[in-house]
Amino acid sequence: MSLFKARDLWSARCGNDETFEKSSLLVADLWGQGSDHLTIGSHEGVLRIFHPFADAQVSPERGFSPIDVVIEIDVGQPILQLAAGRFISGSKSLSLAILHPRSLGVYNFTTIAGSTEHGDQSQVFMVYEHHLKRPAFCMVTGGFGGVDGRDFVCVLGLDGTLMFYEQETHILTRSLHNFLLPSPIVYIPHTDSFVILNSNWFLESYRYQILGEDNSEKPVPTWSYNLGESVNDMRYLGVTTTEAAVFVLTDWNLYCFNETGVMKYCKRLQYNPLCSTIYSRGEPTVMSLIVSDTNTLMVYEGTTLRWSAQLPNTPVAIDRGNFMGLAGCLVLLTEEGEVTLCYMGTEPTMFVPPPLQENALSSSEVETKLHTLQHQIATYSQSAKNSLGAPIGRPDLKMSLKVWPMLEGDSTCKLEVSIQAMTEIHSLHVNVCVTHPLVAIPNSHHVQNLGDSVELYSAVSLVASYTAPWELEATILAVYLRSDMTSGSAEASILLPTPLVLELAPPAKESEASLYLSTSQPVILPTIFPEFGADSWNETGSNESVAGFKYKNFPDLTFTLSVNKGQQKYRIDSNSITAITLPLNILSRKMENKNLKTAQHTFALNELFDATDNNIELRNLIRTLQDNIKVGTAQMRAVQRRMLSKMRDKTPSDLTALSDLISYTNDHVMQVSHDIETAQKDLKENCTRLGNLVKMTILLIKLTGSVNAEDLKQFSEALSHTDFISESQGWAEATEAGLNHMLRTTLARSMREQYMPPFSEGSVVTNSNNLKKYIAVVIDRMVKSIRREDRAVSPILEGEEDGREGFHSPRPTLYEDFDTEVQKLLSQTSIAGTVMSDVD
Amino acid sequence: MDKFYEAFSLYRKRHFEKCAAVCTELLEKNPYDQAAWTLKMQSLTAQVMVDDIEAQEEGIADTLLDSETIAQAARPGTSLKTGANPTTAAGMRPRGATGRPLSGMVRPATQTGRATSLENALKTPRTARSARPVTSQAARTIRLGTASMMTQPDGPFIQITRLNLAKYATTEGIAKPLFLYIFYHENDVRNALDLAVEATKAAQFKDWWWKVALAKCYTTLGLTRDAEQQLRSALKQVPTIDAYLRLANLYTKLDQPLNVLELCTAGLQLFPNEVTLSQEIARVLEGLNNIPASVRYYREILNEDSTHVEAIACIAVNYFYCDQPEVALCFYRRLLQMGIYNAELFNNIGLCCYYAQHYDMMVNCFERALSLAAEETAAEVWYNVSHIAIVSSL
């Protein structure tokens, strides 16, 4: 984030695939010509010296030219650090010290002036070399011991050894204790001491004199400061003749100390620093250059930010140099060896946001598009709807189902699903759906990689329940992924054998409920139930025209089926209405085209209403209990908080009362939880019963023979969600919404009814009156079979004027219509007693 | 080339993963190489370490099960929760959902909504942006912990449970990096605390670093008062900006803004013109609805660091609500020139243009804002657009 950008002046690239780091760059006036040289040494051992703008006549805009390279030589060993100083005894000129991992070399150079524009010829040669006993980390140079005019070298080893060399001679080796990871080291001439960070992250200063004294085993630091951070970079700057500045850069802060270890200033950085350098402008202030990891250069005077500029690349080393008339030029070296000279232009390069793409359409275009879309919607026909869902091409898989024959005394039946892949499919999920109280184990199979074909097995059995099973159809649903990661599905169904749920019993004489069915061609009973052997028919006293059955899951539930061939009638007697559903289902399936009929379409309505009441009561109860548990747990938390705060009190107090309260609350919550569990079990049972009765009602309505198939389909879709229980939506809500919709649309009798308020989404049914009314009215209207064309189904509000008063009246007159209709209906049938009392 | 030198060089160049890989090689050759071990530990830590001072966010559990509350209804001007009476002067600002005055910059703590009850708090929909319901750790810290869950092919680098913490606590040179590793990389606060306790004992309670380390652990564990004690003690030994900021954050958490002000002012005596301390003061003053004083501090920050985005944004907001949209526009333009490019900024510039009657610029700005806006911001931008459309009857 900065307004300015550093401007490129000169740049060169050093080799390919060479490694550089912070200490690889040295900016010094090696030749004493008044302008600096760039000396760069890589870890691969190549030493390069550049002299930018060597030719003063050429304008600085020229950039890099080959004559700027003074020397490029492979010294044969990795170059860790470079230093310039007076390292050769008897010579006042600058020479170059190069630190290699195992040696320290001092080099000098000669220049032969050239006569052409190819420039001068320079050579570098080694003057002397010290071999190091330990691997080196870095070096620091200076006139140790207050020497003037000569420079000595101190090499810091990776293991914390300081090796001192006074020009050609090795003086001493001293080990620092408390040293683990190497840290930068600086030499302060003012106090003749070295500053280094020890392993405990203390900054310590050792006097050269103390280090030199042989007798001290552990050198004592003259001062130390607990820095608490590892150091990124450390630099020394003589501010005045008496005052020095030790500049320390860490990952989070920058510090500046004076020569006696007193902090001058400290600044917390809000970015990650990469590299830095410091300089003085001649005043007693310290200027620092810091590069952040967002490639921004910050120029600080003390702690104040003076300038910031965006850099063209990410440098690992930064320095400042003087080149032919350009004082204070920035030198940047990247990790890959790109060396750049920059200056800080004062003209801001402002951020220019990219132009917006013009994707807005004109209003006429939008209008045309809207018309096209509307036309598409209008011409979207029923046939198009059907063709959309139709499978394209051949199916992806072939599914065949087989029920294994049941042996005598078997209580489960084995279902085999064999799937043959026609195309490449994977992640196959197969669900086996049977209606409760039948269960399939396992009810879901997963095949990750389908080879050619696979056989899956599930066992279907009956669980204990008070309700008789009513549906023997098992549905198998397969979901899979194709090779292009689109999903597909396939469905198949099969009838389970009757002996799984039924066995023969002596026909009962008396019954509580009887259902009469008429047919054009009666069929004898063993034809309808071919699975039972002749022995069992004889044993139980059943014959061609009368047979008794009992359910395996609840033997008290029985029914007797009899056929009267003369009168062409079937009769089903039972001690429970729910037991009749299964024979009815079987009969209607087996005699589909033999004109089976009945007039008793309200036969199970009474029971259905009872079950509806029960369903809603149970759901109300569960809600109440949930509220209770919410209050209970809230109380629990409150008490626990109180307990916590009491325990933290300074003065201990009696906690028995709170403990009692906690255990009481716990008991309460546990009790309510058990109640909820029981209620949920009851609800499950109730749903099974509801499913049974709904199925029977639908079958009976179908058997009246006067019902429109489309209506019946909608009706059964509206009612058949008994398995579905969620917290906010149960059977009652789904049904009420569905029936409400039917009454408003396909079954609406007048325009007025179309304005009936719709069932609002998210509302909860707490009272069964409306629902029962809806069921009764829908059945009545379906059976009366008003032709669909005659109904007021027009979606356009033609009758605006006569619809208006109905719409605005607080209680639509429609309801009164309903009430009278319901009463009429009830007076016809036997269910008057129960529902009449509910009608307000 | 020495391998260890290479590793250390990579570490200095912030190539932490490569450094760790080289250290692993070294440790395979010599498993007892302490330096390589420490360097690997430091590079693993550095991979995941972020500045955690600003990341502290109060969880809902902290807010509701707050056992440190002194008074339910604090006196005006002493709490960030109650806030001062809104002034009727020109500088009146609307308030955000948290009840605090709108700030120029969205910061970690300004976003948390305060739920009234635990039930409500648990019911609120959770997104990555809203506060996590039951946690006292900053969202970033949680992310840090995942470094320890990452499967490493050869098992974890250090089995913390098998370390003899008491031994390592006395080993200078290893104890501090080890603490950082356990705290930041493994996110194992309990063991980090054990180590810090042992180490501060070994240092004879003379090392401020361990006291700050203890305070970090205590803060994460929610033992605010203990953390305060440690930080106070550390500050007495060696005053550091880090400790001042951590203590100020603690006081903000304890809802004691006046303590924050006092503390940071004391800190500024030692570290004159320190931006982070001034920033803390400015934020607290803003929270106390003392906008003029807050802006004064933000101005001081700008004198010290003229690229400070938060200061520029806050001053701009102040000008905007003081009916000087032209001046606010200058500040926002500076932010834009510095390279900040987002929907919020363009929205603000658009509003300033509108109030400064630069109608030609206004539509452009809002178009840009809409093109940059993400889902949630888009709603707010549209709201402003609608406002302007109504008023200027476009």
Side-chain angles (χ1 to χ4, degrees):
Chain A
M1 296 289 157
S2 59
L3 216 52
F4 301 97
K5 202 170 179 178
R7 306 303 177 102
D8 257 4
L9 190 61
W10 180 94
S11 74
R13 195 175 168 82
C14 305
N16 286 322
D17 293 333
E18 291 183 44
T19 325
F20 299 88
E21 63 163 333
K22 196 173 293 176
S23 52
S24 308
L25 175 72
L26 173 72
V27 179
D29 184 8
L30 291 172
W31 269 259
Q33 294 168 333
S35 84
D36 284 340
H37 284 71
L38 303 177
T39 313
I40 296 160
S42 74
H43 283 186
E44 278 67 25
V46 182
L47 176 72
R48 292 182 182 84
I49 301 179
F50 295 97
H51 189 206
F53 321 121
D55 197 350
Q57 273 86 50
V58 185
S59 73
E61 278 81 41
R62 177 200 51 167
F64 174 78
S65 89
I67 59 162
D68 292 345
V69 183
V70 180
I71 286 169
E72 181 162 3
I73 182 179
D74 189 346
V75 295
Q77 296 178 70
I79 297 172
L80 303 188
Q81 198 180 346
L82 301 158
R86 284 152 295 183
F87 302 118
I88 302 169
S89 54
S91 163
K92 288 280 176 194
S93 64
L94 286 180
S95 51
L96 187 67
I98 301 180
L99 185 69
H100 304 296
R102 283 286 181 167
S103 66
L104 169 71
V106 173
Y107 293 77
N108 212 340
F109 19 120
T110 56
T111 306
I112 305 161
S115 51
T116 61
E117 63 178 19
H118 300 307
D120 305 340
Q121 185 192 2
S122 301
Q123 276 180 338
V124 66
F125 56 89
M126 183 184 283
V127 180
Y128 62 88
E129 185 177 21
H130 292 292
H131 286 277
L132 307 173
K133 291 208 176 69
R134 294 156 198 281
F137 172 68
C138 69
M139 64 177 166
V140 56
T141 62
F144 308 152
V147 180
D148 201 23
R150 289 192 296 165
D151 282 322
F152 302 151
V153 181
C154 167
V155 176
L156 174 66
L158 279 174
D159 55 354
T161 319
L162 292 172
M163 290 162 272
F164 294 92
Y165 296 93
E166 288 193 354
Q167 298 189 333
E168 283 89 347
T169 41
H170 171 66
I171 302 296
L172 72 116
T173 302
R174 167 85 44 220
S175 267
L176 291 176
H177 73 289
N178 210 342
F179 186 93
L180 192 63
L181 291 182
S183 101
I185 181 169
V186 294
Y187 170 70
I188 307 175
H190 297 73
T191 54
D192 189 22
S193 50
F194 295 90
V195 176
I196 191 168
L197 187 82
N198 78 5
S199 66
N200 206 19
W201 294 343
F202 279 62
L203 212 54
E204 288 180 334
S205 162
Y206 295 97
R207 287 184 70 91
Y208 183 51
Q209 203 181 350
I210 293 173
L211 286 172
E213 280 166 13
D214 259 350
N215 50 6
S216 61
E217 272 301 301
K218 277 186 178 177
V220 184
T222 39
W223 57 263
S224 78
Y225 181 85
N226 188 349
L227 198 67
E229 282 173 287
S230 61
V231 167
N232 220 324
D233 199 2
M234 185 146 59
R235 306 241 169 196
Y236 151 80
L237 182 74
V239 182
T240 62
T241 45
T242 52
E243 197 185 350
V246 179
F247 171 84
V248 179
L249 181 73
T250 69
D251 278 347
W252 308 109
N253 293 297
L254 74 85
Y255 302 88
C256 188
F257 297 92
N258 75 1
E259 69 283 354
T260 53
V262 178
M263 189 195 288
K264 283 164 168 293
Y265 62 82
C266 164
K267 181 175 179 64
R268 197 177 144 78
L269 303 177
Q270 288 166 315
Y271 48 86
N272 283 328
L274 295 180
C275 53
S276 66
T277 186
I278 58 170
Y279 62 97
S280 167
R281 291 194 310 188
E283 309 142 15
T285 54
V286 182
M287 303 292 293
S288 47
L289 302 174
I290 300 178
V291 180
S292 81
D293 56 352
T294 52
N295 297 352
T296 313
L297 171 77
M298 320 273 179
V299 184
Y300 290 100
E301 178 179 353
T303 58
T304 309
L305 183 73
R306 285 290 179 221
W307 197 266
S308 82
Q310 199 66 30
L311 294 181
N313 48 25
T314 313
V316 287
I318 184 169
D319 211 333
R320 224 170 140 263
N322 297 323
F323 301 95
M324 290 300 174
L326 262 177
C329 193
L330 287 179
V331 184
L332 308 171
L333 176 69
T334 68
E335 202 180 327
E336 295 81 26
E338 181 92 33
V339 59
T340 317
L341 298 189
C342 293
Y343 65 97
M344 290 188 269
T346 46
E347 191 176 315
T349 52
M350 285 175 202
F351 171 76
V352 180
L356 268 179
Q357 69 247 48
E358 282 296 327
N359 54 358
L361 301 166
S362 72
S363 62
S364 62
E365 275 174 282
V366 175
E367 212 163 290
T368 330
K369 195 166 179 191
L370 181 69
H371 280 307
T372 351
L373 287 173
Q374 272 176 341
H375 179 71
Q376 273 179 18
I377 293 167
T379 51
Y380 183 74
S381 66
Q382 185 73 25
S383 59
K385 201 193 273 174
N386 289 341
S387 71
L388 270 182
I392 308 151
R394 60 186 196 137
D396 295 310
L397 55 80
K398 211 160 90 184
M399 189 153 61
S400 51
L401 308 176
K402 205 165 97 189
V403 174
W404 286 30
M406 279 180 72
L407 297 176
E408 198 69 33
D410 253 0
S411 59
T412 59
C413 100
K414 206 166 183 189
L415 192 66
E416 180 188 317
V417 183
S418 51
I419 292 170
Q420 199 182 355
M422 314 292 276
T423 59
E424 207 172 301
I425 59 173
H426 60 100
S427 294
L428 175 74
H429 275 272
V430 178
N431 280 335
V432 181
C433 316
V434 289
T435 44
H436 193 82
L438 286 171
V439 289
I441 298 169
N443 62 2
S444 148
H445 301 273
H446 180 227
V447 182
Q448 185 57 46
N449 292 311
L450 185 64
D452 182 31
S453 64
V454 68
E455 269 99 49
L456 305 164
Y457 299 95
S458 276
V460 181
S461 59
L462 199 59
V463 293
S465 165
Y466 292 109
T467 314
W470 72 91
E471 182 62 86
L472 286 174
E473 196 173 63
T475 312
I476 318 295
L477 184 70
V479 185
Y480 51 86
L481 288 177
R482 298 190 191 95
S483 52
D484 57 351
M485 297 311 279
T486 53
S487 62
S489 67
E491 201 179 333
S493 60
I494 191 169
L495 276 183
L496 298 168
T498 327
L500 180 65
V501 295
L502 287 181
E503 57 191 355
L504 281 166
K509 292 285 177 289
E510 67 269 11
S511 67
E512 286 175 18
S514 308
L515 181 70
Y516 296 92
L517 302 156
S518 66
T519 175
S520 51
Q521 297 162 291
V523 178
I524 54 164
L525 296 179
T527 322
I528 297 175
F529 296 98
E531 294 97 334
F532 296 100
D535 298 349
S536 47
W537 285 97
N538 296 338
E539 268 172 34
T540 51
S542 307
N543 54 32
E544 284 183 358
S545 56
V546 57
F549 291 92
K550 64 180 182 190
Y551 285 94
K552 278 185 173 177
N553 64 329
F554 191 55
D556 287 349
L557 282 178
T558 61
F559 66 87
T560 306
L561 188 60
S562 53
V563 56
N564 187 331
K565 284 189 106 171
Q567 290 181 2
Q568 298 189 326
K569 264 191 178 167
Y570 282 100
R571 201 178 99 182
I572 309 171
D573 299 304
S574 172
N575 54 355
S576 161
I577 283 195
T578 58
I580 293 180
T581 318
L582 183 64
L584 186 65
N585 196 354
I586 294 172
L587 271 180
S588 75
R589 193 171 278 137
K590 298 248 167 169
M591 315 208 18
E592 207 161 6
N593 35 23
K594 291 186 180 138
N595 209 0
L596 195 68
K597 276 200 166 160
T598 180
Q600 286 171 287
H601 65 270
T602 52
F603 179 67
L605 209 54
N606 212 347
E607 295 270 331
L608 181 61
F609 285 168
D610 279 351
T612 309
D613 283 337
N614 191 7
N615 180 288
I616 286 164
E617 270 164 30
L618 279 169
R619 281 175 51 83
N620 285 344
L621 176 67
I622 288 175
R623 271 192 290 273
T624 323
L625 288 172
Q626 275 169 343
D627 283 344
N628 277 353
I629 209 164
K630 204 164 157 192
V631 173
T633 46
Q635 175 172 334
M636 192 73 164
R637 276 192 294 275
V639 179
Q640 281 170 340
R641 269 171 67 179
R642 181 76 197 127
M643 186 106 157
L644 257 175
S645 68
K646 273 217 161 190
M647 276 165 69
R648 286 181 69 104
D649 268 357
K650 290 279 189 284
T651 49
S653 53
D654 190 20
L655 292 175
T656 25
L658 277 176
S659 156
D660 286 351
L661 192 52
I662 282 188
S663 63
Y664 165 76
T665 317
N666 185 41
D667 289 348
H668 174 69
V669 170
M670 291 310 287
Q671 181 58 44
V672 177
S673 315
H674 288 310
D675 288 352
I676 287 186
E677 247 175 65
T678 322
Q680 274 167 346
K681 266 186 211 152
D682 288 351
L683 186 60
K684 178 113 182 98
E685 182 67 39
N686 170 263
C687 284
T688 313
R689 189 177 166 80
L690 262 178
N692 187 323
L693 292 165
V694 166
K695 180 75 189 178
M696 165 140 45
T697 311
I698 291 168
L699 279 174
L700 288 172
I701 292 171
K702 188 177 164 195
L703 292 180
T704 53
S706 61
V707 183
N708 186 311
E710 186 71 13
D711 281 343
L712 190 68
K713 187 165 160 258
Q714 286 187 357
F715 180 69
S716 83
E717 272 167 8
L719 255 70
S720 309
H721 297 285
T722 49
D723 286 348
F724 174 68
I725 305 171
S726 83
E727 218 159 275
S728 57
Q729 201 182 32
W731 174 79
E733 285 79 17
T735 307
E736 189 162 335
L739 294 180
N740 178 296
H741 183 73
M742 280 181 82
L743 284 173
R744 273 191 301 128
T745 54
T746 52
L747 288 177
R749 200 183 264 172
S750 63
M751 281 309 298
R752 199 178 285 166
E753 285 183 1
Q754 291 181 17
Y755 296 108
M756 193 167 81
F759 183 77
S760 63
E761 220 171 286
S763 61
V764 175
V765 177
T766 52
N767 191 330
S768 58
N769 286 347
N770 249 348
L771 184 56
K772 286 192 290 193
K773 258 187 236 170
Y774 281 168
I775 294 176
V777 171
V778 168
I779 292 175
D780 186 50
R781 288 195 187 170
M782 282 201 309
V783 172
K784 291 231 175 101
S785 182
I786 316 158
R787 284 192 299 134
R788 277 171 93 84
E789 298 76 51
D790 296 346
R791 295 176 197 157
V793 285
S794 157
I796 313 295
L797 306 175
E798 296 158 348
E800 224 16 278
E801 59 280 0
D802 63 344
R804 192 157 283 161
E805 74 264 41
F807 192 36
H808 291 293
S809 67
R811 181 185 157 89
T813 39
L814 163 82
Y815 273 154
E816 286 154 30
D817 287 358
F818 267 2
D819 288 347
T820 47
E821 209 173 319
V822 169
Q823 275 169 17
K824 223 192 301 173
L825 181 78
L826 294 178
S827 60
Q828 288 168 4
T829 56
S830 58
I831 56 170
T834 46
V835 184
M836 279 301 277
S837 58
D838 294 337
V839 174
D840 47 348
Chain B
M1 192 72 186
D2 193 282
K3 270 277 174 203
F4 182 70
Y5 183 86
E6 192 187 330
F8 197 75
S9 165
L10 287 169
Y11 178 78
R12 288 205 294 185
K13 286 190 275 189
R14 304 183 70 84
H15 297 310
F16 300 124
E17 277 174 34
K18 287 184 195 161
C19 169
V22 177
C23 288
T24 314
E25 271 176 47
L26 282 172
L27 286 171
E28 267 165 21
K29 276 184 209 145
N30 179 10
Y32 300 104
D33 188 346
Q34 273 197 346
W37 193 73
T38 315
L39 187 59
K40 182 175 178 186
M41 195 154 73
Q42 287 197 12
S43 59
L44 289 178
T45 314
Q47 278 177 33
V48 294
M49 196 157 163
V50 287
D51 190 355
D52 57 338
I53 292 183
E54 290 233 332
Q56 292 293 340
E57 196 157 345
E58 272 202 321
I60 290 164
D62 293 332
T63 332
L64 291 171
L65 300 175
D66 181 11
S67 52
E68 315 279 359
T69 315
I70 296 166
Q72 284 292 328
R75 283 159 190 267
T78 63
S79 164
L80 290 171
K81 284 178 189 161
T82 51
N85 297 323
T87 50
T88 47
M92 192 177 101
R93 280 198 203 183
R95 277 147 195 272
T98 57
R100 297 186 190 174
L102 277 186
S103 174
M105 180 134 159
V106 178
R107 294 182 293 265
T110 56
Q111 281 211 302
T112 38
R114 288 182 190 279
T116 44
S117 75
L118 197 55
E119 274 78 15
N120 283 347
L122 292 174
K123 268 185 195 168
T124 46
R126 285 158 220 163
T127 61
R129 288 188 181 193
S130 70
R132 286 160 187 264
V134 200
T135 171
S136 63
Q137 290 184 323
R140 289 200 214 175
T141 329
I142 304 245
R143 201 197 65 209
L144 296 184
T146 52
S148 56
M149 294 166 214
M150 223 157 55
T151 45
Q152 287 160 349
D154 314 317
F157 172 47
I158 302 173
Q159 293 271 2
I160 304 291
T161 42
R162 280 159 55 185
L163 281 186
N164 181 0
L165 290 181
K167 183 190 131 200
Y168 284 105
T170 53
T171 322
E172 288 189 350
I174 291 185
K176 286 178 183 176
L178 182 62
F179 173 83
L180 293 180
Y181 178 80
I182 300 178
F183 190 82
Y184 288 105
H185 188 271
E186 295 291 313
N187 201 17
D188 182 350
V189 183
R190 229 157 38 96
N191 277 317
L193 181 62
D194 283 350
L195 178 67
V197 168
E198 291 291 338
T200 191
K201 247 187 265 168
Q204 290 147 10
F205 307 100
K206 279 181 187 158
D207 193 342
W208 66 267
W209 198 91
W210 286 113
K211 295 184 178 172
V212 174
L214 277 173
K216 280 187 204 172
C217 296
Y218 284 140
T219 316
T220 320
L221 294 172
L223 301 170
T224 324
R225 290 293 180 187
D226 300 292
E228 182 199 350
Q229 217 173 1
Q230 293 297 337
L231 285 172
R232 282 273 179 207
S233 163
L235 278 180
K236 225 175 271 173
Q237 266 174 343
V238 176
T240 49
I241 299 173
D242 193 79
Y244 272 116
L245 289 177
R246 284 182 194 280
L247 192 53
N249 269 322
L250 271 189
Y251 282 130
T252 316
K253 203 172 172 188
L254 288 174
D255 194 18
Q256 299 183 357
L258 298 186
N259 260 340
V260 179
L261 296 183
E262 194 186 346
L263 184 78
C264 291
T265 317
L268 278 177
Q269 301 283 321
L270 284 166
F271 302 102
N273 297 330
E274 172 56 35
V275 169
T276 43
L277 291 172
S278 309
Q279 180 180 299
E280 204 65 40
I281 296 182
R283 287 176 183 176
V284 167
L285 285 172
E286 192 175 64
L288 291 172
N289 211 5
N290 190 351
I291 306 291
S294 162
V295 168
R296 205 162 58 234
Y297 275 96
Y298 276 127
R299 281 182 186 287
E300 271 177 31
I301 293 174
L302 274 194
N303 278 337
E304 186 73 7
D305 177 358
S306 46
T307 59
H308 201 274
V309 176
E310 183 179 338
I312 298 178
C314 286
I315 294 175
V317 163
N318 183 50
Y319 275 119
F320 182 78
Y321 286 112
C322 287
D323 282 343
Q324 286 174 283
E326 297 89 347
V327 189
L329 194 57
C330 292
F331 280 89
Y332 282 128
R333 210 174 52 201
R334 165 56 73 97
L335 285 180
L336 185 65
Q337 287 166 348
M338 280 167 61
I340 295 174
Y341 182 57
N342 57 20
E344 287 86 349
L345 183 62
F346 276 110
N347 176 58
N348 288 349
I349 293 180
L351 281 177
C352 287
C353 284
Y354 168 69
Y355 284 106
Q357 304 187 343
H358 299 313
Y359 295 128
D360 48 340
M361 285 298 297
M362 174 182 89
V363 178
N364 264 334
C365 290
F366 279 112
E367 270 177 3
R368 274 193 188 281
L370 284 173
S371 72
L372 288 172
E375 283 170 32
E376 283 148 54
T377 20
E380 285 160 27
V381 177
W382 276 117
Y383 174 81
N384 286 322
V385 171
S386 72
H387 171 68
I388 282 168
I390 290 168
V391 177
S392 58
S393 62
L394 274 173

